[in-house]
Amino acid sequence: MKALVTRLDSFGDVLLAGPAIRAVAARADSVTLLCGPRGAPAARLLPGVDDILVWDAPWVGLTPPPVGRGEVELLIDSLDADAALILTSFHQSPLPTALLLRLAGVAHIAADSEDYPGSLLDVRHHRAAHAHEAEAMLDLAEAAGFPRADDGRLRVLPPPAATGLTGPGEYVVLHPGASVPARAWSPERCGQAVRELTAAGHRVVVTGGPDERDLTAYVAGEDAIDLGGRTGAPELAGVLAGARAVVTGNTGPSHLAAAVGTPVVCLFAPVVPAERWRPYGVPYVLLGDQNAPCADSRARECPVPGHPCLQSVTAHDVVAAVEKVAGEKKGRQP
């Protein structure tokens, strides 16, 4: 059986789909992952994936492309599968994807859907109300005939050694960037955390993407190693795997840290619910007011002056949380 799994959104979303993908891979002869351009670097890290198709869907993302008939027809002609699993977040509809898969001739399609699917789905599943995203996708896979095949934790292919980037010795990673501003701790507080962690005896490594070099340089200052723009996805996985703990917002590196078994101190803005998006399968501490007025708003820009849900967190809070989880790396929790 040739299986197709789709997860069309972000880097972290694709990582969270990993356990469900492995469940499919355990029963299928081959697995193709259809993902978006932001998720493709994560897709290349996942065990169980035999082939990757990258398509920028016009109903996904913050800056979606226009609908183009030629692009849609090219995708349809590229798809070749007997069965498909459409993985989405709790607020997304699988039906546009299901329509394209039907037009491509996929015979058996499963998805979570609250909307009436007509003949687009063979398995219309309803996710549990409070399930973590990783668990919800595993539940869907099982309903589609792909029961979990292992412990269900996040996982990536073995990353490269990172000593050439981090230097020898233990360290803590601080990742100050976030995919949307509402989920980011301020650069000033991140810089304070670097200084306080250093004063507490921790060696600190600051990570960030190519477009975050100014941010990482500011946060690292004179006290930390600045790796801004110096790591692709595999190298970042290696850096996170070697850390005692990772301090980050609710963004892709939080889930990548979990996938390599490293505890996470997560500065979690409640614009999306922590029960669905918290670090999964590793020791973690959530910092931030989860009952702030922005809760469940899915806001990209903080709607409350002063960003109190995260600005209420101090550098001392981060140091205490790091020291709580740093010794728990071997004691992974579900």
Side-chain angles (χ1 to χ4, degrees), residues 4 6 32 34 53-56 58-59 67-81 95-106 109 120:
L4 176 75
T6 74
T32 296
L34 174 63
L53 288 176
V54 180
W55 189 60
D56 197 1
W59 56 87
V67 177
R69 179 169 180 168
E71 291 82 359
V72 170
E73 290 177 345
L74 181 62
L75 174 69
I76 290 171
D77 290 342
S78 301
L79 298 174
D80 180 19
L95 300 186
T97 305
L99 175 60
L100 298 189
L101 300 189
R102 275 289 188 246
L103 293 174
V106 179
I109 304 173
L120 295 180

